[in-house]
């Protein structure tokens, strides 16, 4: 089973993943992104989908035109885990600097 984050790891989220925030009422993190248009948003989602398959860790997400909302949590352990942090970091690599 995947390990949930410790309190120290949770505290480090604000500095390590500044674009992500905790979801109210859930043990999860969210990132909201905006792109130039639907095509760019969908292309980003395709790259993340391929990453998710490789990592065997799949986000909860939604897309409306140029906006993509990504929620990460680990259902197997009932909350935030090291897998979510790894996925968020990998998503940041796809986003590149200044994305959002």
């Amino acid at each position: 089973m995947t390990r949930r984050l410790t309190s120290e790891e949770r505290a480090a989220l604000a500095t390590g993943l500044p674009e992500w925030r905790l979801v109210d009422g859930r043990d999860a993190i969210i990132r909201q992104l905006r792109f130039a248009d639907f095509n760019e948003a969908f292309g980003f989602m395709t790259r993340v989908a391929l990453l998710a398959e490789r990592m065997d860790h799949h986000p909860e997400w939604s897309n409306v035109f140029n906006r993509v909302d990504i929620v990460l949590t680990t259902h197997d352990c009932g909350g935030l885990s090291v897998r979510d942090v790894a996925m968020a970091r990998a998503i940041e690599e796809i986003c590149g600097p200044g994305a959002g």
Side-chain angles (χ1 to χ4, degrees):
M1 183 185 239
T2 302
R3 178 179 67 78
R4 288 181 77 167
L5 296 182
T6 65
S7 56
E8 293 82 18
E9 290 168 326
R10 286 170 187 279
L13 288 174
T15 54
L17 294 167
E19 301 296 331
W20 294 79
R21 63 178 171 76
L22 293 172
V23 176
D24 291 335
R26 289 188 66 190
D27 195 17
I29 54 176
I30 187 169
R31 174 106 199 273
Q32 298 174 305
L33 295 125
R34 292 199 184 269
F35 297 90
D37 54 28
F38 177 78
N39 190 47
E40 189 177 313
F42 194 80
F44 166 78
M45 290 179 74
T46 301
R47 290 187 299 280
V48 172
L50 293 170
L51 167 72
E53 280 297 300
R54 283 193 308 274
M55 295 181 76
D56 192 29
H57 191 56
H58 303 88
E60 299 173 15
W61 58 6
S62 65
N63 165 239
V64 177
F65 182 58
N66 68 335
R67 191 182 77 230
V68 177
D69 295 342
I70 306 171
V71 174
L72 298 176
T73 191
T74 303
H75 300 281
D76 291 348
C77 71
L80 281 172
S81 77
V82 294
R83 295 184 79 193
D84 300 308
V85 173
M87 175 65 84
R89 286 187 177 133
I91 289 170
E92 289 302 308
E93 292 279 326
I94 292 172
C95 291

